[in-house]
Amino acid sequence: MTDNDPVIASFKRWVAMPVVTARCPVRDVLDRLGEKWTTLMIMALADGPKRFSELRRAVPDISKRSLTLALRNLEEDGIITRHVFPTNPPAVEYRLAPLGATMLEPLAGMIAWAERHHPEIQAARDRRRKELAAEV
């Protein structure tokens, strides 16, 4: 028995099911988590509430539109909450919801894995680019 047995068993169970993407919880959740800005938004909110402008500064390469869509999607999924304060103009703050906080531990593992293996991945990409260039 290996450490991967539960993952393999889970994958085999899902593969054996008829594919109805709209009802597949794994695909449904992973599609959203795999969106470009989702992980960065969760990371940015890990240390506490932030306003829209603070999130833009935390992720400077995100557009206002992309940030708005990412926040709406995360709020829709119950990952974050949006709080409006009755000021003039209204102040809005985003926070990780309890469900979103449960993502921090597995996300930390993925981040650590990415940091640890990034040099290997870059080297593999460089090798592949050289192979493709040689084929031309």
Side-chain angles (χ1 to χ4, degrees), residues 4 26 28 35 44 51 53 57 65 69 85 97 114 121 130 134:
N4 294 328
V26 174
D28 182 44
E35 290 176 356
R51 295 181 62 174
S53 58
R57 284 192 297 275
R65 183 182 184 327
L69 290 174
F85 297 95
I121 292 168
K130 288 177 185 173

Side-chain angles (χ1 to χ4, degrees), residues 14 18 20-21 32 48 54 56-58 61 68 77-78 87 97 112 114 116 119 132-133 135:
W14 285 105
V20 181
T21 305
R32 181 63 54 92
E54 292 175 294
R56 280 230 41 222
R57 284 192 297 275
D61 53 335
T68 299
D77 287 353
T87 58
R116 186 170 49 253
L132 291 173
E135 291 175 9

Side-chain angles (χ1 to χ4, degrees), residues 4-88:
N4 294 328
D5 287 346
V7 173
I8 294 167
S10 179
F11 182 72
K12 286 181 178 180
R13 186 176 68 252
W14 285 105
V15 168
M17 294 178 160
V19 177
V20 181
T21 305
R23 290 192 303 220
C24 178
V26 174
R27 288 178 188 214
D28 182 44
V29 172
L30 293 181
D31 281 351
R32 181 63 54 92
L33 295 180
E35 290 176 356
K36 184 174 184 177
W37 304 108
T38 297
T39 301
L40 294 174
M41 289 300 102
I42 294 167
M43 289 169 53
L45 292 169
D47 66 346
K50 303 251 184 325
R51 295 181 62 174
F52 189 91
S53 58
E54 292 175 294
L55 290 167
R56 280 230 41 222
R57 284 192 297 275
V59 184
D61 53 335
I62 191 170
S63 69
K64 285 182 182 180
R65 183 182 184 327
S66 293
L67 177 55
T68 299
L69 290 174
L71 292 171
R72 282 184 189 160
N73 288 340
L74 289 168
E75 183 182 7
E76 178 183 316
D77 287 353
I79 305 296
I80 66 169
T81 57
R82 180 177 182 267
H83 301 269
V84 181
F85 297 95
T87 58
N88 193 4

